[in-house]
Amino acid sequence: MTTHSISRGLCAAAAVTLLLSGCSSDSNTDAPTAGNQPASTGNGPIGDPADDNPAMPGDNLSALEAEINGTGAKTPAKVGETFKYTCHPQVPCDVDFTVTELTLGEACKYGTNDYGGSSDSTFGKLKPGEQYLQMSGEFIVNSAANGWTMAQEPFVIDADGYTTNASKSIDCRSGSAPLSDWATPVHVEEKAKLYGAWIVPEGITAVTIGNKKIDVTNL
């Protein structure tokens, strides 16, 4: 047998193999088995449009988890009451947070910073219709997915019911040890006494921290 004959024979065998393979694949197209059925990555059945939206952490939070993680309605809290601090569902933590003091007014508790300049300068001072929000608290980190966490900046609810930012005060001094700045990172199995000061509108009705809301109408 010549070399050309052998080559032609091999090519023919290869063609038959490919043809049979193609037929076998076609026969399984409409009847996927448990072994070759594609896995769903989303919330709906295979082929469902919801399959294009993969499930995210926190999609199936219970009511309690939703409250702790800040995805539910804000619940009331009081000064002096210890509550579970809000953590992001994808970076969970276990923190006991107690707001030990909350005041509204026109004087910084620990005095003001001196930035120099003329005595009539408005830099770092309250404007008409503004007041200081000052809070102290104890922040105890029992666990944290990334090894540490920190207190969130508060928001306030104004007299018209709108949620607005509380602007960090640059003129109020932060106090001395053992007080730490409100935004101090606290590591697992550690705790800190925090203090923060913000400038907020007069007439606010509540202060919110994560998933908690503290009523301030009587202050």
Side-chain angles (χ1 to χ4, degrees):
M1 181 180 294
T2 65
T3 301
H4 291 297
S5 298
I6 294 174
S7 299
R8 285 194 298 271
L10 291 174
C11 291
V16 171
T17 301
L18 289 172
L19 179 61
L20 291 175
S21 176
C23 292
S24 176
S25 298
D26 291 343
S27 65
N28 292 331
T29 299
D30 297 327
T33 64
N36 63 13
Q37 189 172 12
S40 174
T41 58
N43 301 320
I46 297 172
D48 190 281
D51 198 53
D52 294 331
N53 300 314
M56 297 298 293
D59 280 355
N60 298 313
L61 291 174
S62 67
L64 176 60
E65 289 172 324
E67 178 183 336
I68 292 174
N69 290 321
T71 58
K74 297 184 185 301
T75 56
K78 297 180 180 179
V79 174
E81 175 185 76
T82 300
F83 58 86
K84 287 298 182 183
Y85 166 77
T86 302
C87 302
H88 194 283
Q90 296 185 28
V91 191
C93 66
D94 178 9
V95 174
D96 294 316
F97 197 6
T98 308
V99 176
T100 55
E101 185 178 25
L102 189 158
T103 63
L104 296 170
E106 298 181 356
C108 296
K109 181 175 182 178
Y110 300 106
T112 56
N113 293 306
D114 183 7
Y115 295 105
S118 62
S119 59
D120 60 350
S121 173
T122 59
F123 179 74
K125 296 180 181 180
L126 293 177
K127 298 179 177 63
E130 295 180 337
Q131 62 183 339
Y132 293 120
L133 161 66
Q134 298 176 82
M135 285 194 294
S136 299
E138 187 173 62
F139 197 78
I140 303 174
V141 181
N142 303 308
S143 65
N146 58 355
W148 63 274
T149 189
M150 57 196 292
Q152 296 180 9
E153 297 292 314
F155 289 84
V156 298
I157 299 177
D158 67 18
D160 295 320
Y162 292 101
T163 300
T164 184
N165 292 320
S167 302
K168 189 78 172 179
S169 169
I170 61 172
D171 46 337
C172 288
R173 292 179 179 174
S174 59
S176 56
L179 291 176
S180 299
D181 184 80
W182 191 266
T184 298
V186 183
H187 292 265
V188 173
E189 298 184 355
E190 294 182 1
K191 57 185 178 180
K193 292 183 180 294
L194 306 178
Y195 167 80
W198 300 266
I199 297 176
V200 300
E202 292 180 346
I204 64 172
T205 61
V207 174
T208 67
I209 306 172
N211 61 325
K212 295 296 182 179
K213 179 168 66 175
I214 302 174
D215 184 278
V216 297
T217 53
N218 294 324
L219 294 183

